[in-house]
Amino acid sequence: MKLSPGSALLTDLYELTMLQAYFDAGVNETASFELFVRALPMQRNFLMAGGLEQVLDYLEHLRFGPDELSALAKTRRFPAPFLRSLEHLRFTGEVDAMREGTVFFPDEPVLRITAPMREAQLVESRVMNLVHFETVVASKAARCVLAAPDKLLVDFGLRRAHGAEAAVLSARASYLAGFGGTATLAAGLAFDIPVYGTMAHSYVQAYADEAVAFEDFARSQPTNATLLIDTYDTEEAARKVVALAPLLLNDGIAIRGVRIDSGDLGEHARRVRRILDEGGLSGVTIFASGNLDEHRLHQLMSEQAPIDGFGVGTRMNTSADAPYLDCAYKLVEYGGEPRRKRSEGKSTWPARKAVYRLTGPNGVMAGDLITLANERRDGEPLLEPVMRGGKRCAQPVTLHSARAHAWRQLRALPNAQRTLDVDEPYPVAVSDGLRELARRLDEGRPG
Amino acid sequence: MKLSPGSALLTDLYELTMLQAYFDAGVNETASFELFVRALPMQRNFLMAGGLEQVLDYLEHLRFGPDELSALAKTRRFPAPFLRSLEHLRFTGEVDAMREGTVFFPDEPVLRITAPMREAQLVESRVMNLVHFETVVASKAARCVLAAPDKLLVDFGLRRAHGAEAAVLSARASYLAGFGGTATLAAGLAFDIPVYGTMAHSYVQAYADEAVAFEDFARSQPTNATLLIDTYDTEEAARKVVALAPLLLNDGIAIRGVRIDSGDLGEHARRVRRILDEGGLSGVTIFASGNLDEHRLHQLMSEQAPIDGFGVGTRMNTSADAPYLDCAYKLVEYGGEPRRKRSEGKSTWPARKAVYRLTGPNGVMAGDLITLANERRDGEPLLEPVMRGGKRCAQPVTLHSARAHAWRQLRALPNAQRTLDVDEPYPVAVSDGLRELARRLDEGRPG
C-alpha cells in the first residue's frame, strides 16, 4: 500500500493493540498526556518548540478510511467489532501547547492532549514524531542564528536530510528559528518560505571553459545569478567573474553573487572580496557553504570573514551533534485522577501542569516554574489552548508570526543560554503543590 | 500545495536554475554522475548500500504534472518555453548500481546515472536523499545485527525518526540489514515486513491495578500478549505475571512474553528469568528495549543476559553516532569525455568506473579494486545494470532477497570489519588506468 504522511496507519502497532484492549475492556475515560523532554542533549542549553501546526493538521484529519481499514483487516490481527469502532474514531479532544518558536527546558510540558483514552493513546506515535523532529531542528538552527545573527542563512540540506518529510520539515523548522530561506523548492512552495538556488559543480564541469559556463548561466538568470567559483581554482575563477562582468553589463545583466564551497572559507572569502572590489564588483555578494554548523559560523564571524550569507545543510538538518531528544509522551491524568510513572530513571511529574516564565528587567528570561495546571502564579503562562472538541480554537498562527515570536524568544535569552558553550543551566523550579502531589502518589500507590 | 514524496518539486531550486541554463544554451549531451561516499564516519568500518528500489521508483515516475507546472509558473522564476520543456521531461537514462545490502567503502561508486544532462542533473537531490538515508540506517543497523546475530531485533523508532518517510524507510533499511521486524505498522504494510507490538506504560497506568491491566490485555490478545513490566517495580510485576498465568491458562490464554524498558536491563532480565522459570513460565520470552544500540547490545550479549529479543529505536533510526555520510553525486563524464572536480579537499576520480571485489578462502572479502568501467579485472563486479531507457532492466529484487544478500555480505566481512571497533581499514585499491587518467586530466585542463 502507498504511504500517506497523514495516514492513521503511520503508528506503532502497539497503539492499536492497546486500543483493542481498551475497547474490549470498555476503557475510555478522559486521559491527559503530556509531551516533554527529560534532559537537554550535552550540546544544547535550550530547546525551541516546533511542529505544532503539523500536529493540529494531523489531529483534525485523523481517520481510518476504507483503505486503512481494509489493510488492517487483511493483517487478521483485529476482530471485526474493533475495526468497526475505528471507522468512527475521530480526534474530539483538547490540545494545550507552547507556541511554536517558544524556548523551553527539560520537564516542561510543551504539549498536552486531553481526550478519551483511545484517541489520546492512538496519536502518541505521530504526535511525538512531528514535535520531536521539528524541535530537534529548530533548536539546532536557533544556535546557528545566534552564531550569525545578521547574516542570511539558507537551508541547504535536502540531500542528506532523512527522507522527504525531513527535508521539507527541516526547512520549515529552520525558517521558524530565523533562517532566511531554503534551497528546497517543495518546502518553499508548501510553507511560503523564500527559496534560494545557485549552481552545482557539475554545471561548471559540463563546460570545457569555466568562463563560458559562468556567462551562459548569467544570461539565463539575468538578475539572479550566483556563480559557484571553487570547481577548479577559486581566485582564478573570481578573476574570470571580474573579466566577464563588464561584457554582461553591456547587455543589462548583473551578476548577483559568487559561492565558495570548499577550502578555508574565510581566507578564500577575503581574497575573493579583494579581487571583486578591485575589479569594481563591490556589489557582488559572497555566499559560503560546505560542512557549516554553528561553531564554524561563529569562527567565521569572529574572524570577520567578508561573507554575506551561508548555506547551512547536513549538520543543521540532521542536528548532527544531537540528532534526537530524550522526549516522552506520558499519561499524567486518567479519569480525573493524577497518574505517575515510576520506572527507574524515568519517573515523571504527575497531573496536568502549567509552566510560568518570569522575566527580569529588559525582558530577559529569569526563570521558569512548573506548577499544577490549576495553580495561578506570576509570570507568563507558556501553554495556551489551541484545540477544543477536535477543532483549532485559537487564532491561526502563520509560520511568519511564529518566526517573529521565535526571534523575540532568542532576544530574551539570558547570556548563559545565548552562547554556544553549555555552562550554567537555566533555572527551572517545580512548585510545592506539584512536589506534594508526587510525594502523595508515591506513598499511596505502590503500583 | 501538498507535498508528495515522489513530486518532481522535491528538489533543490538550483537543479531547476541549472536546467534552465542548460535549456537556454542547448546543453544536453549524455552525462554520467556517480554517487559515492568520500570517507567513512569515525564510528564505521564499512557501509551497506540501501535505497535503490526507491530511486528506481522515483525515476520511473518522474514527471512535472499540471500541479507542479502551475506551482512553478506562479513563482515567476521561469520563462514559459522552459516550463514547456519540463512538461515532456521523463527519465530516459541508465542506472548501474550495487545491489541493496552490498557492503561498500569510500570512493566506490554505489550508483551511476547516465542520461541526457538535464535528466541526470535534475534527479540529483532526491536520488542522494534516498540512497544516503537508507545507507546511513542500513549501515548502523548492520552493526546491531553483528552485535547480536542470533537475536530478534525489532525497529522501535517511529517516534524519534526524522519525520514520516524516515520512519518507514528506516524500518525498511534495518530489515534489509537483518532486523527481524518493525513496530511501525505503515512500514510493515508497505514492505511486507513483520510487525511487532506490545504495550505502553500509559496502558498500565490507566488501570488502578497493574495485575488487572495485564489480565485485560492478555484476554484481548489471547495468543500474542507481551506485557510491559517496568512501570512500577519490575520484579514485583513479574511475580504478578506468574500469579496470573495459571488463571489465564484455564481459559486457554497463554502469555507470550514480558518487556523490560528501564534500569539495568541485564540484571532485571536475570531476576525476571528466575521468577518466571520458578513460576513454571520458562516458555515466556523476555524482550528488552530502551536506549539500545550496537554497543549496549554487545554488552548485554557478553554478559549472556537472558533476553530473547530487543527493541532498537532512536539511536538506530537516526544513526545517532553518525547521522550523515559525506557523500557526493558527481559528474564523471560528459559528452563522452571524462570530467574531474578538483576543489580543495574534494577532488573526485574521473570517468565511469567499476568496482571489483576479491574474496579469499572461505569466501571472506579480501580487497576491492576501483577501475575504469571498461577495464576487465578478476573478482566480482559490484555494479550491475538495473535501468535502461528509463525502465528497470534487471529481474525484480524483492526486499527479502536483498536481505538475504545483505546477510551473505555480513558473513563475508573480514574480522577487522566485523568488530564494532574501528581499527584496520579494508583494502581498496585504485587501478593504474584510473590513476593515469586522473593525472592526465590534471595536466591537460587547468579549468
Side-chain angles (χ1 to χ4, degrees):
Chain A
M1 61 160 291
K2 211 163 163 311
L3 166 76
S4 147
S7 168
L9 301 184
L10 189 65
T11 187
D12 288 302
L13 175 63
Y14 84 169
E15 310 292 6
L16 288 176
T17 54
M18 286 189 281
L19 250 59
Q20 190 196 330
Y22 292 143
F23 176 78
D24 291 346
V27 170
N28 206 22
E29 288 190 65
T30 300
S32 288
F33 285 80
E34 286 180 353
L35 203 167
F36 62 97
V37 173
R38 289 195 183 93
L40 289 176
M42 290 224 301
Q43 308 82 347
R44 299 286 180 275
N45 43 31
F46 67 89
L47 297 172
M48 177 173 278
L52 178 59
E53 267 305 297
Q54 281 66 51
V55 164
L56 298 178
D57 265 351
Y58 165 72
L59 295 175
E60 280 196 340
H61 296 101
L62 179 69
R63 65 205 56 207
F64 290 87
D67 290 353
E68 278 97 0
L69 290 169
S70 125
L72 284 179
K74 277 190 205 136
T75 67
R76 297 169 186 233
R77 286 176 177 274
F78 305 102
F82 170 63
L83 290 180
R84 277 195 298 277
S85 80
L86 292 183
E87 188 178 344
H88 302 290
L89 186 147
R90 300 288 183 273
F91 183 78
T92 64
E94 305 185 348
V95 181
D96 294 82
M98 293 188 190
R99 289 182 64 180
E100 289 193 86
T102 300
V103 161
F104 74 99
F105 299 92
D107 284 336
E108 298 180 352
V110 61
L111 177 143
R112 175 171 57 244
I113 288 184
T114 299
M117 180 52 128
R118 296 174 211 163
E119 300 169 22
Q121 181 71 67
L122 173 66
V123 303
E124 173 187 35
S125 306
R126 180 60 164 161
V127 166
M128 286 186 74
N129 174 265
L130 287 166
V131 172
H132 172 266
F133 178 59
E134 287 200 55
T135 297
V136 162
V137 174
S139 303
K140 176 73 170 175
R143 288 166 60 85
C144 298
V145 171
L146 289 172
D150 305 321
K151 299 291 182 177
L152 172 68
L153 302 183
V154 178
D155 155 39
F156 259 34
L158 161 56
R159 61 194 56 198
R160 296 197 197 88
H162 288 185
E165 193 175 75
V168 172
L169 292 185
S170 60
R172 181 182 188 275
S174 56
Y175 187 68
L176 168 70
F179 271 48
T182 178
T184 304
L185 188 54
L189 294 169
F191 298 118
D192 194 20
I193 300 172
V195 186
Y196 292 83
T198 64
M199 63 168 65
H201 297 103
S202 52
Y203 175 83
V204 176
Q205 290 176 278
Y207 284 77
D209 184 331
E210 193 179 29
V212 178
F214 289 168
E215 180 171 353
D216 278 3
F217 193 81
R219 290 190 184 280
S220 175
Q221 310 274 329
T223 60
N224 209 17
T226 296
L227 305 172
L228 178 60
I229 59 172
D230 75 329
T231 305
Y232 306 110
D233 179 299
T234 302
E235 286 74 30
E236 190 55 39
R239 286 183 205 104
K240 292 177 189 172
V241 172
V242 166
L244 184 63
L247 306 175
L248 289 170
L249 210 54
N250 280 343
D251 295 342
I253 297 168
I255 293 166
R256 179 170 168 180
V258 295
R259 175 161 77 99
I260 307 169
D261 185 55
S262 57
D264 180 332
L265 296 174
E267 186 52 33
H268 280 304
R270 278 184 288 276
R271 291 189 208 149
V272 166
R273 185 74 271 160
R274 204 171 312 126
I275 293 166
L276 294 175
D277 289 350
E278 289 173 6
L281 299 184
S282 56
V284 170
T285 59
I286 297 178
F287 197 81
S289 57
N291 298 323
L292 294 176
D293 62 12
E294 68 270 37
H295 302 289
R296 295 187 189 215
L297 289 174
H298 178 75
Q299 174 60 32
L300 290 165
M301 295 297 287
S302 324
E303 60 184 70
Q304 299 185 294
I307 297 173
D308 303 283
F310 297 94
V312 183
T314 306
R315 292 170 195 229
M316 181 279 291
N317 296 261
T318 63
S319 187
D321 59 343
Y324 68 90
L325 297 170
D326 184 9
C327 60
Y329 176 86
K330 287 297 162 194
L331 182 68
V332 295
E333 197 174 291
Y334 182 66
E337 294 295 323
R339 288 287 191 265
R340 183 182 204 191
K341 172 186 170 191
R342 292 196 305 276
S343 313
E344 290 171 61
K346 290 184 173 179
S347 67
T348 59
W349 291 107
R352 292 186 294 137
K353 291 176 281 295
V355 182
Y356 292 92
R357 176 158 296 164
L358 296 169
T359 45
N362 312 318
V364 172
M365 292 161 50
D368 290 0
L369 179 66
I370 307 175
T371 71
L372 295 167
N374 57 6
E375 293 185 61
R376 285 290 164 267
R377 295 305 192 101
D378 289 340
E380 182 196 5
L382 298 188
L383 282 96
E384 302 175 349
V386 290
M387 184 173 267
R388 291 292 181 265
K391 297 287 165 209
R392 281 175 170 86
C393 64
Q395 291 286 75
V397 177
T398 66
L399 178 56
H400 299 81
S401 76
R403 185 169 183 260
H405 173 64
W407 179 246
R408 289 189 298 270
Q409 292 274 305
L410 293 183
R411 277 203 313 189
L413 280 177
N415 284 333
Q417 273 62 51
R418 295 184 69 81
T419 65
L420 300 184
D421 304 325
V422 174
D423 190 8
E424 194 186 323
Y426 179 80
V428 177
V430 172
S431 78
D432 291 343
L434 179 50
R435 287 188 187 280
E436 177 54 30
L437 175 66
R439 193 157 39 227
R440 197 153 51 74
L441 288 173
D442 282 356
E443 285 167 7
R445 185 155 172 277
Chain B
M1 59 162 292
K2 209 162 164 313
L3 166 76
S4 148
S7 168
L9 300 185
L10 189 66
T11 187
D12 288 303
L13 175 64
Y14 84 169
E15 311 290 7
L16 289 177
T17 53
M18 285 189 282
L19 250 60
Q20 190 196 329
Y22 292 143
F23 176 79
D24 290 346
V27 170
N28 206 23
E29 288 190 64
T30 300
S32 288
F33 284 80
E34 286 181 353
L35 203 166
F36 63 97
V37 173
R38 289 196 184 91
L40 289 176
M42 289 223 302
Q43 308 83 348
R44 298 287 179 276
N45 42 32
F46 67 89
L47 297 172
M48 177 173 278
L52 177 59
E53 267 305 297
Q54 282 64 50
V55 165
L56 298 179
D57 265 351
Y58 165 72
L59 295 176
E60 281 196 340
H61 295 101
L62 179 69
R63 63 205 57 205
F64 291 87
D67 290 353
E68 278 97 359
L69 290 169
S70 123
L72 285 180
K74 277 191 204 134
T75 67
R76 298 174 187 230
R77 286 175 177 274
F78 304 102
F82 171 63
L83 290 179
R84 277 195 298 275
S85 79
L86 293 183
E87 189 178 342
H88 302 291
L89 186 148
R90 301 287 183 273
F91 183 78
T92 63
E94 306 184 349
V95 181
D96 294 82
M98 291 186 191
R99 289 183 64 182
E100 290 194 87
T102 301
V103 162
F104 73 98
F105 299 92
D107 283 337
E108 298 180 351
V110 61
L111 177 145
R112 175 173 55 245
I113 288 184
T114 299
M117 179 52 131
R118 294 174 212 163
E119 299 169 22
Q121 181 72 66
L122 173 65
V123 303
E124 173 186 36
S125 307
R126 179 61 164 159
V127 166
M128 287 186 73
N129 174 266
L130 287 165
V131 172
H132 172 266
F133 178 59
E134 288 198 57
T135 297
V136 162
V137 174
S139 303
K140 176 75 169 176
R143 288 166 61 84
C144 299
V145 171
L146 289 172
D150 306 320
K151 299 291 182 179
L152 172 68
L153 302 182
V154 178
D155 156 38
F156 260 33
L158 161 55
R159 62 194 55 198
R160 296 197 197 87
H162 288 185
E165 194 175 73
V168 172
L169 292 184
S170 60
R172 181 182 187 276
S174 56
Y175 186 68
L176 169 70
F179 271 47
T182 178
T184 303
L185 188 55
L189 294 169
F191 298 117
D192 193 20
I193 300 172
V195 186
Y196 292 83
T198 64
M199 63 169 64
H201 296 105
S202 52
Y203 175 83
V204 176
Q205 291 177 277
Y207 285 78
D209 185 331
E210 192 178 29
V212 178
F214 289 167
E215 180 171 354
D216 277 5
F217 193 81
R219 290 191 183 280
S220 174
Q221 309 275 328
T223 61
N224 208 17
T226 296
L227 305 172
L228 178 61
I229 59 172
D230 76 327
T231 305
Y232 306 112
D233 179 299
T234 302
E235 285 75 31
E236 189 54 38
R239 285 183 205 102
K240 292 178 189 173
V241 173
V242 166
L244 183 63
L247 306 176
L248 289 170
L249 210 53
N250 281 343
D251 295 343
I253 296 168
I255 293 166
R256 177 170 171 181
V258 296
R259 174 161 76 100
I260 307 169
D261 185 54
S262 56
D264 180 332
L265 296 175
E267 186 53 34
H268 279 304
R270 277 184 288 275
R271 290 189 208 147
V272 166
R273 186 72 272 160
R274 204 173 311 128
I275 293 167
L276 294 175
D277 289 350
E278 289 173 7
L281 299 184
S282 56
V284 169
T285 59
I286 297 179
F287 197 81
S289 58
N291 298 324
L292 294 176
D293 62 12
E294 67 271 37
H295 301 289
R296 294 186 191 215
L297 289 174
H298 178 75
Q299 174 60 33
L300 289 164
M301 295 298 287
S302 326
E303 59 183 72
Q304 299 185 292
I307 298 172
D308 303 283
F310 297 95
V312 184
T314 306
R315 291 171 196 228
M316 182 279 291
N317 295 263
T318 63
S319 186
D321 60 342
Y324 68 89
L325 296 170
D326 184 9
C327 60
Y329 175 86
K330 287 298 164 193
L331 182 68
V332 295
E333 197 176 291
Y334 182 67
E337 294 294 323
R339 288 286 192 266
R340 183 180 204 191
K341 173 187 170 189
R342 292 197 305 275
S343 313
E344 289 171 63
K346 291 185 174 178
S347 67
T348 59
W349 291 106
R352 291 185 295 136
K353 291 177 281 296
V355 182
Y356 291 92
R357 176 158 297 164
L358 297 170
T359 46
N362 313 320
V364 173
M365 292 161 50
D368 291 0
L369 179 66
I370 308 176
T371 71
L372 295 168
N374 56 6
E375 294 185 60
R376 284 291 165 268
R377 295 305 192 102
D378 290 339
E380 182 197 6
L382 297 188
L383 283 96
E384 302 175 348
V386 290
M387 184 171 267
R388 291 293 181 265
K391 298 287 164 208
R392 281 175 170 84
C393 64
Q395 291 286 74
V397 177
T398 66
L399 178 57
H400 298 81
S401 76
R403 184 169 183 261
H405 172 64
W407 179 247
R408 290 190 298 271
Q409 291 275 305
L410 293 184
R411 278 203 314 190
L413 280 178
N415 284 333
Q417 274 62 52
R418 295 185 70 81
T419 65
L420 299 184
D421 304 325
V422 174
D423 190 5
E424 195 185 323
Y426 179 80
V428 177
V430 172
S431 77
D432 290 343
L434 180 50
R435 286 190 188 280
E436 177 54 32
L437 175 65
R439 197 160 34 229
R440 197 154 51 76
L441 288 173
D442 283 358
E443 285 167 5
R445 187 156 172 275

